[in-house]
Amino acid sequence: MVGQEHLCGAGGILRRIAASGHLPSMIFFGPPGCGKTTAAGILAEASGMTMHRLNATTASLSDIKEVAKETGTMMGQGGILLYLDEIQYFNKKQQQSLLEYLEDGRITLIASTTENPYYYIYDALLSRCSVFAFRHVDADAIERRLRQVAAKSYAKIEFTDAAFTRLANSAGGDVRRGLTLLEVASACAVE
């Protein structure tokens, strides 16, 4: 993962949480492409929990109940981690439905949002979660990631240092956008 040194770097709180082996319920708030989903995956792996991913734009209450069913099975033995992307699209009733699972410990929630959670997340749910603010990723960190991906996936194409710098600067703090730009540049470089 690149960026988010304030959370994931040496001494960062998410790094310390991962090392503890116990995940609290959390809300990741920040711009697109800054590593919210990646951080959730790393935390799930470090904790040994089974991670289920839902997107609030398409998920329903029945999807949450389906995830909760696993808490009594072998799949849920180490705990269930629900990663709910774009939680701001869940209405109040849908957000309230998560409360019983969080309160009794059947589910640990990591939710992400690009909107201010203090305006979009139901207060009772917000009070049971720690909120972490993610920031745009700086161009140097994006450039490091682009170089890693290029070396692995586009090794036959020679990119100049200036090309990597330009792609990283054009990403606007969004790693995903930088990777998309790299993919387009790679497609254009093929003869």
Side-chain angles (χ1 to χ4, degrees), residues 7 25 49 71 73 77 170:
L7 298 172
S25 288
M49 297 175 82
T71 58
T73 69
Q77 197 168 27
S170 297

Side-chain angles (χ1 to χ4, degrees), residues 11-29:
I13 190 159
L14 292 182
R15 182 178 285 240
R16 292 194 316 262
I17 287 171
S20 78
H22 173 74
L23 295 185
S25 288
M26 300 177 262
I27 296 173
F28 295 166
F29 160 52

